[in-house]
């Protein structure tokens, strides 16, 4: 088991800076790292901070590989709601990561078989070095919705009503949120050598304390971070943490 650290920061800016420090350190130590960048709102400032450091010449991501965390199913190519598109705009483009340095999840064909091959190939290339994750208010990581066991593989899932509701803020309307998705499994995610979980806002207060202090189990998938193989850092802002 790795170490679990908690960094409580005052605001969004500090969350982005602290998260970017952790990511930049991990990449400096391991320039060919395979990095999983979550989409969602919370890590956007962190990615902007990384992009600023790259522009300033203090961060070299030239040999990093990005591995997609999750994607909705049933979208046409170029759909505005594609999470791959979001990952492109927020992470790949600003950091100049492209071509063979991008590993994309399968979204069509025989998904069950494609996901098994995906996990096998991910393992063969050395697995995940660093996962940058956000926290669902239902305790999901990626789209590993509760209940999810610690060893679940990459697979297609139904999104929970709570996640569909929460994702409505990305696309303007809950009715626009796809209800099926493919997600990296908790198995490969929890085997990452390092995980940075960014958590922000009052709405995440109950779940962040539950994941850190409550029992470990499938009803809160993120609670398995307590027993992850690699080092986990939870960067949490004051409004999510409270005045403890
Ligand atoms: C996004 C993802 C989700 C989000 C989580 C938090 O790729 O996998 O697990 O990280 O739902 O989303 P935000 O940051 O928007 O609160």
């Amino acid at each position: 088991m790795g170490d679990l650290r908690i960094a409580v920061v005052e605001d969004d800016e500090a969350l982005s800076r602290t998260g970017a420090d952790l990511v930049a350190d991990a990449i400096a130590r391991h320039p060919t790292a395979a990095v999983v960048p979550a989409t969602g709102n919370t890590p956007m400032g962190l990615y902007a901070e990384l992009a600023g450091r790259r522009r300033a010449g203090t961060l070299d991501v030239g040999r990093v590989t990005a591995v997609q965390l999750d994607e909705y199913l049933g979208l046409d190519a170029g759909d505005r709601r594609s999470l791959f598109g979001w990952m492109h705009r927020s992470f790949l483009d600003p950091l100049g990561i492209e071509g063979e340095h991008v590993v994309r999840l399968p979204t069509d064909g025989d998904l069950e078989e494609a996901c098994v091959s995906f996990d096998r190939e991910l393992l063969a290339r050395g697995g995940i070095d660093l996962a940058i994750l956000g926290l669902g208010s239902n305790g999901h990581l990626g789209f590993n919705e509760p209940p999810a066991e610690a060893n679940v593989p990459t697979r297609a899932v139904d999104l929970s009503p709570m996640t569909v509701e929460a994702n409505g803020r990305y696309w303007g309307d809950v009715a626009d949120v796809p209800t099926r998705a493919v997600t990296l499994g908790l198995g490969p995610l929890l085997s990452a050598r390092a995980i940075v979980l960014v958590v922000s806002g009052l709405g995440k207060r109950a779940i962040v304390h539950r994941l850190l202090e409550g029992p470990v189990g499938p009803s809160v998938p993120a609670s398995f971070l307590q027993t992850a193989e690699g080092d986990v850092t939870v960067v949490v802002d004051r409004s999510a943490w409270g005045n403890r």
Side-chain angles (χ1 to χ4, degrees):
M1 222 165 76
D3 289 338
L4 194 153
R5 298 189 190 87
I6 302 166
V8 181
V9 297
E10 283 314 309
D11 54 23
D12 245 21
E13 207 184 306
L15 183 112
S16 300
R17 229 182 12 249
T18 303
D21 286 347
L22 291 163
V23 173
D25 277 358
I27 292 173
R29 270 184 276 114
H30 191 166
T32 58
V35 177
V36 172
T39 56
N41 290 335
T42 318
M44 293 303 118
L46 189 170
Y47 299 159
E49 175 73 27
L50 290 177
R53 293 182 191 192
R54 174 175 176 256
R55 279 194 305 275
T58 55
L59 173 70
D60 179 5
V61 288
R63 291 190 291 152
V64 164
T65 293
V67 180
Q68 189 180 11
L69 173 61
D70 43 22
E71 180 60 286
Y72 299 124
L73 290 174
L75 301 182
D76 291 332
D79 191 291
R80 69 182 177 97
R81 297 164 294 173
S82 159
L83 296 182
F84 187 70
W86 191 350
M87 168 180 163
H88 237 288
R89 292 188 296 279
S90 62
F91 189 82
L92 302 178
D93 290 346
L95 292 176
I97 300 173
E98 58 188 5
E100 61 184 16
H101 290 282
V102 180
V103 177
R104 198 169 175 171
L105 283 168
T107 52
D108 49 24
D110 182 340
L111 268 185
E112 209 177 308
E113 199 182 299
C115 286
V116 170
S117 312
F118 182 93
D119 277 351
R120 198 186 306 120
E121 281 159 30
L122 186 61
L123 198 64
R125 58 175 302 143
I128 299 163
D129 296 300
L130 172 67
I132 308 164
L133 301 178
L135 176 64
S137 30
N138 63 353
H140 73 203
L141 294 178
F143 282 140
N144 289 283
E145 303 282 46
E149 296 289 349
N151 60 357
V152 284
T154 298
R155 68 208 182 287
V157 293
D158 290 320
L159 296 182
S160 71
M162 199 164 172
T163 295
V164 172
E165 172 86 31
N167 283 200
R169 71 206 146 105
Y170 305 150
W171 316 114
D173 194 334
V174 172
D176 286 345
V177 180
T179 55
R180 278 188 63 74
V182 60
T183 184
L184 265 183
L186 277 184
L189 271 181
L190 295 170
S191 307
R193 285 166 200 88
I195 295 174
V196 173
L197 178 75
V198 283
V199 186
S200 132
L202 185 56
K204 301 280 174 74
R205 191 177 289 180
I207 193 67
V208 76
H209 287 291
R210 169 67 183 78
L211 101 80
L212 290 167
E213 294 145 28
V216 176
S219 62
V220 179
S223 65
F224 288 114
L225 290 173
Q226 291 184 40
T227 55
E229 281 174 39
D231 292 335
V232 176
T233 308
V234 180
V235 187
V236 50
D237 74 2
R238 178 63 62 191
S239 74
W241 188 252
N243 286 313
R244 297 185 169 216

